[in-house]
Amino acid sequence: MLEIRNMDVHYGVIHVLKGISFMVNDGEIVTLIGANGAGKTTTLRTISGLKKPRNGTILLDGEDITATSAQERVKRGISHAPEGRRIFPDMTVLENLELGAYLRKDKEGITRDLKMVYEHFPILSDRKKQLAGTLSGGEQQMLAIGRALMSRPKILFLDEPSMGLAPFLVQEIFNIIKNINKAGTTILLVEQNASMALQVAHRAYVLETGSIVLSGTGSELMQSDEIKKAYLGG
């Protein structure tokens, strides 16, 4: 579904991504793990169209989208729940969700997908008239994911969905991620909690200082002595 070929990204003179290549197949959860500053968030922002690559190609369903706008990429099926949630605090939960469907015209489909989001996140249904800024951190994360789902994406980007959450909420968020995937949405996940990410991922790539240094199935990397030492506290 998604293929990245030899992608280079710079911030000024800083070479952030150094010719990375990877792919995400239809129906998979693929995770990118790595330390802070490795380039994980930059990878998602570049694929989403928020940052331009210096070199390389981005393919979605075999079509080159490297030069298309961020808005066009949403239309084609990419949706992004960014790091830090980025919800609209002075709008209600329902208004935030409706904004996720901004580019859509199918009212019946939007109604169905709103119901689907509420099934994944029942607390959002209870809070739909509440201002989003008054939600707890976990509820705001659920809202960010739900808003991203409202565009009916082919592939959903999740950037650090467990950041700042209590352990029991982290488990809940990852259970929901698995359920979203089982319902048919392909997921590209960036996550510093490597243990949780590898448990849910079909495949994983390890980013170090802008380069992919290791890849494999989630279970393979869980058993890797190198990964245990660097990311799992082994």
Side-chain angles (χ1 to χ4, degrees):
M1 177 178 288
L2 178 71
E3 184 177 1
I4 310 304
R5 296 179 182 170
N6 303 313
M7 189 167 74
D8 281 285
V9 177
H10 292 69
Y11 283 101
V13 298
I14 302 172
H15 197 174
V16 180
L17 296 177
K18 303 168 184 174
I20 66 169
S21 299
F22 67 93
M23 66 174 61
V24 182
N25 295 313
D26 189 10
E28 285 187 315
I29 299 176
V30 171
T31 189
L32 302 176
I33 63 171
N36 278 336
K40 305 184 302 296
T41 291
T42 297
T43 299
L44 294 191
R45 285 177 55 82
T46 305
I47 302 170
S48 293
L50 303 175
K51 177 71 180 170
K52 289 186 178 180
R54 182 79 59 89
N55 298 298
T57 306
I58 302 168
L59 299 169
L60 182 67
D61 287 333
E63 292 188 26
D64 187 347
I65 62 167
T66 313
T68 61
S69 68
Q71 177 174 313
E72 180 62 26
R73 295 183 201 198
V74 174
K75 287 181 181 179
R76 294 192 185 202
I78 291 176
S79 192
H80 188 165
E83 181 182 14
R85 298 152 197 158
R86 305 289 181 90
I87 52 108
F88 296 95
D90 296 327
M91 300 176 71
T92 67
V93 167
L94 177 58
E95 288 167 339
N96 269 266
L97 293 174
E98 288 173 338
L99 274 178
Y102 179 75
L103 293 177
R104 295 175 59 181
K105 306 299 182 186
D106 55 322
K107 290 185 179 180
E108 290 185 3
I110 291 170
T111 300
R112 285 196 302 270
D113 287 344
L114 191 59
K115 181 180 178 182
M116 173 268 294
V117 168
Y118 288 152
E119 288 172 353
H120 283 306
F121 307 106
I123 193 68
L124 296 184
S125 179
D126 297 339
R127 303 271 197 272
K128 59 188 172 186
K129 295 182 180 179
Q130 189 171 321
L131 291 180
T134 66
L135 300 178
S136 69
E139 291 164 353
Q140 288 186 15
Q141 186 60 68
M142 294 175 189
L143 178 56
I145 296 172
R147 182 182 61 188
L149 286 172
M150 286 301 296
S151 68
R152 192 178 285 177
K154 293 179 181 177
I155 182 165
L156 173 64
F157 294 174
L158 299 176
D159 194 352
E160 304 287 4
S162 76
M163 181 181 287
L165 301 184
F168 77 95
L169 280 175
V170 171
Q171 185 64 59
E172 183 177 355
I173 287 292
F174 274 90
N175 286 339
I176 290 167
I177 289 170
K178 287 193 291 185
N179 289 337
I180 290 169
N181 177 249
K182 287 178 182 176
T185 303
T186 303
I187 294 173
L188 178 57
L189 169 68
V190 158
E191 179 57 59
Q192 275 204 296
N193 188 332
S195 177
M196 291 298 299
L198 293 174
Q199 285 179 49
V200 302
H202 298 98
R203 293 187 304 108
Y205 296 88
V206 181
L207 263 176
E208 289 185 4
T209 58
S211 299
I212 292 176
V213 297
L214 201 61
S215 64
T217 67
S219 58
E220 285 171 349
L221 294 191
M222 284 282 285
Q223 300 305 314
S224 163
D225 290 338
E226 183 180 350
I227 297 301
K228 288 179 182 178
K229 183 177 180 180
Y231 301 106
L232 304 179

